[in-house]
Amino acid sequence: MINHKRRKRMLSLLTEHANASVEQLCQWLNASAATVRRDIFWLAERNMLNRIRGGAERLAPKRNAFSLSGETFQNSLERFPAEKRAIARHAAGMCEDGETVIINGGTTTFMMAEFLAHKQLKILTNSFLMAERLLTTSENQIIVPGGQVYREQNVILSPFDNDITQHHYAGKMFMGVYGLSMLGLMEVDPLLIQAEKRLLGQAEQLIVLVDSSKFSRKAGLILCGLNRVSCLITDTGVSDAAVQMMEQAGVKVAAVAPESELEPMLED
């Protein structure tokens, strides 16, 4: 194998396996230890991988200067999809034609779009993916705030207080969050907190959509206390302790079965 093809293959292997020893790379590349070590040195000199004791590792991905803290939209979308879809279906069923609702950017809230296609609502959302989907699949009236689009989280956020959200009022706001505890709803990015608080101020009822894993996630920023939450929709994997915590705070809890568990019932 010629040099550039072998080095390209090495980078591809490290992308797949994160790290590898010289011995492993020798087997995968069918090359000698001396050749592999020379390639590792050559690529490390050009900042294309990291040299480690006995081998090499891939470089950590560079964070976009215009991204937010926390998990990316795509990564979150792949976590607990059946639970999130069932939660989204239940939430969409709470929307009545003719009303105004606010829906924040997030993977579980984004899944509501499928079940809102037949509705007649006025929807204010900072999720540009939801706005795009609903504009092409429904007759809902869609309003988006001004601001910067953050690609990794697929949200539109403005650092300014006087944006379009202050001119709209909604009976319900549907929100997903990074995590929650007895202290309240938690997020990891200050700009996200600032934007979400503006949306919260424009809604009467706050309905939180979280899969049960969110009860074990902690963050350093509190968006609001549990006393602000009217209803929480989660999945049937939620613990009794978590439900008790929410109900003691005066929050109505709805636990719905994941989509895979719902399908047999739908067929009956």
Side-chain angles (χ1 to χ4, degrees), residues 57-71:
E57 66 178 5
R58 68 184 178 196
L59 292 175
K62 293 183 178 180
R63 187 162 191 88
N64 191 318
F66 300 105
S67 64
L68 302 171
S69 303
E71 194 172 29

Side-chain angles (χ1 to χ4, degrees), residues 5 9 26 43 51 55 67 74 86 92 111 119 128 149 169 216 227 249 252 266:
K5 288 186 177 180
R9 175 62 179 154
C26 288
L43 291 166
R51 295 172 66 191
S67 64
Q74 188 57 44
M111 290 185 182
K119 299 280 188 178
F128 69 86
V149 175
Y169 169 81
S216 62
N227 61 324
K252 180 181 178 181
L266 292 175

Side-chain angles (χ1 to χ4, degrees), residues 45-92:
E45 284 286 294
R46 288 154 181 80
N47 200 32
M48 299 174 75
L49 56 72
N50 288 327
R51 295 172 66 191
I52 60 174
R53 185 177 180 85
E57 66 178 5
R58 68 184 178 196
L59 292 175
K62 293 183 178 180
R63 187 162 191 88
N64 191 318
F66 300 105
S67 64
L68 302 171
S69 303
E71 194 172 29
T72 66
F73 184 90
Q74 188 57 44
N75 287 344
S76 181
L77 197 63
E78 295 169 359
R79 292 168 53 86
F80 310 107
E83 288 81 357
K84 290 178 177 181
R85 190 166 185 270
I87 292 168
R89 182 195 295 271
H90 187 91

Side-chain angles (χ1 to χ4, degrees), residues 79-80 83-84 87 108 178-180 209-217 232-240 242-243 254-256 258:
R79 292 168 53 86
F80 310 107
E83 288 81 357
K84 290 178 177 181
I87 292 168
T108 309
Y178 179 85
L180 44 76
L209 284 58
V210 291
D211 64 79
S212 54
S213 72
K214 298 295 182 70
F215 287 91
S216 62
R217 300 178 76 177
L232 180 135
I233 310 172
T234 187
D235 61 80
T236 48
V238 66
S239 68
D240 292 341
V243 173
V256 296

